[in-house]
């Protein structure tokens, strides 16, 4: 994904914004199992409200 961001031209995304997107992507990390479970529970509760 970072390679895709690097290939974006200034016509689509301004250079400063593109650089910030790349910087943020490099600094990001993968979620822990606990965080993934918490997110899954959060969405499951909300989705079940709309199924009824």
């Amino acid at each position: 994904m970072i390679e895709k961001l690097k290939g974006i031209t200034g016509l689509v995304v301004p250079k400063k914004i593109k650089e910030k997107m790349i910087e943020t992507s490099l600094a990001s990390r993968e979620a822990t199992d606990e965080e993934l479970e918490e997110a899954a529970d959060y969405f499951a509760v909300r989705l079940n409200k709309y199924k009824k």
Side-chain angles (χ1 to χ4, degrees), residues 4-21:
K4 273 188 173 180
L5 289 172
K6 289 179 180 177
I8 295 174
T9 65
L11 298 172
V12 179
V13 178
K15 186 177 180 180
K16 279 189 167 193
I17 294 174
K18 179 178 79 169
E19 288 173 357
K20 184 65 177 172
M21 291 168 66

Side-chain angles (χ1 to χ4, degrees), residues 2 4 6 11 18 29 31 36-37 40 43 45 47 49:
I2 294 170
K4 273 188 173 180
K6 289 179 180 177
L11 298 172
K18 179 178 79 169
R29 62 175 178 78
L36 290 172
E37 285 182 35
F43 287 107
V45 167
L47 288 172
K49 285 182 181 179

Side-chain angles (χ1 to χ4, degrees), residues 22-45:
I22 292 170
E23 184 181 307
T24 302
S25 294
L26 290 171
S28 68
R29 62 175 178 78
E30 206 168 303
T32 64
D33 286 343
E34 183 178 300
E35 291 169 327
L36 290 172
E37 285 182 35
E38 187 177 315
D41 290 343
Y42 172 87
F43 287 107
V45 167

